[in-house]
Amino acid sequence: MTPRSAIIERETKETAIRIELTLDGSGQHRVDSPVPFFNHMLSAVARHGFFDLQVSARGDVEIDAHHTVEDLGIVLGEAFKKALGDKAGVRRFGRATMPMHEALAAVVIDFSGRPFLVFNAAIPKTKVGEFDTELVEEFFVAFCNHSGANIHVNLAYGDNLHHIIEAIFKAFGRALDEATAIDPRIEGVLSTKGTLA
């Protein structure tokens, strides 16, 4: 089987990002950006989704981390879209519910080609360390728009913000793994229309 992989680079006046992604990997990853907490979250996505992921990012974090996190969402979304190609044989749908201590979060994904985000996670606008928690939703907006995915994020409960956010990203990784997997029963794309767009 041809490797399902992508290399995407994006450089603006605010950020410079390069992502290498292999869908059929083993969870090997190296995430290097100036946003340490978010490095931890992307590492969780790779490890729990069994993707091989290399991320190199620079950004204007002296202002704040918004541009860097948003652009990471853009580039990672583009990488998944490219690596999925025509989506022939791809399961398309994925779902996962993950605990993290007292927190429980679920993510459901449809690589439909029609981006839409439902973010049912009332995360207070504050910080975890130096990380602005409102950037979690910004990342998912960017990922949806550039991957063509419909994603629903639902937080059942949780108290610790680190645990809440980590549960979301671990669920995201597992849901991505299911949605991007090849199913030999699928001929062409999984759609009655015969296309995913």
Side-chain angles (χ1 to χ4, degrees):
M1 186 173 72
T2 304
R4 299 188 301 153
S5 61
I7 298 174
I8 304 291
E9 297 185 50
R10 173 185 169 89
E11 187 163 353
T12 70
K13 292 181 179 179
E14 299 166 341
T15 65
I17 296 172
R18 175 186 168 92
I19 287 181
E20 298 180 35
L21 171 70
T22 299
L23 297 181
D24 305 305
S26 61
Q28 297 297 312
H29 59 276
R30 183 185 62 79
V31 182
D32 179 19
S33 89
V35 189
F37 180 78
F38 205 67
N39 294 349
H40 179 44
M41 295 303 104
L42 292 183
S43 296
V45 171
R47 186 70 187 102
H48 294 280
F50 300 98
F51 306 113
D52 291 344
L53 180 66
Q54 301 288 320
V55 177
S56 177
R58 291 185 292 106
D60 55 356
V61 291
E62 68 279 3
I63 297 172
D64 67 15
H66 186 285
H67 297 145
T68 304
V69 172
E70 181 178 37
D71 285 8
L72 281 166
I74 289 171
V75 178
L76 189 62
E78 290 177 350
F80 270 90
K81 185 174 184 177
K82 182 177 180 182
L84 283 168
D86 63 6
K87 302 177 190 168
V90 171
R91 285 185 176 169
R92 174 181 167 181
F93 299 98
R95 67 200 181 288
T97 301
M98 295 289 279
M100 179 68 185
H101 295 285
E102 85 299 339
L104 186 71
V107 175
V108 182
I109 298 173
D110 174 11
F111 277 105
S112 62
R114 297 178 300 279
F116 196 86
L117 174 66
V118 176
F119 193 81
N120 288 322
I123 300 174
K125 292 184 178 181
T126 183
K127 289 181 180 288
V128 174
E130 296 301 312
F131 180 77
D132 292 314
T133 56
E134 64 187 11
L135 297 182
V136 173
E137 186 171 1
E138 292 297 328
F139 167 82
F140 280 103
V141 168
F143 182 91
C144 283
N145 287 338
H146 291 268
S147 67
N150 173 207
I151 299 179
H152 293 243
V153 176
N154 291 290
L155 174 66
Y157 43 78
D159 295 315
N160 181 287
L161 289 177
H162 186 140
H163 296 166
I164 286 169
I165 295 169
E166 189 164 342
I168 289 170
F169 277 91
K170 285 179 176 177
F172 180 49
R174 292 298 292 268
L176 282 170
D177 179 44
E178 183 176 315
T180 60
I182 296 292
D183 188 326
R185 298 172 296 175
I186 300 169
E187 295 183 9
V189 296
L190 189 58
S191 170
T192 55
K193 294 188 299 184
T195 184
L196 290 174

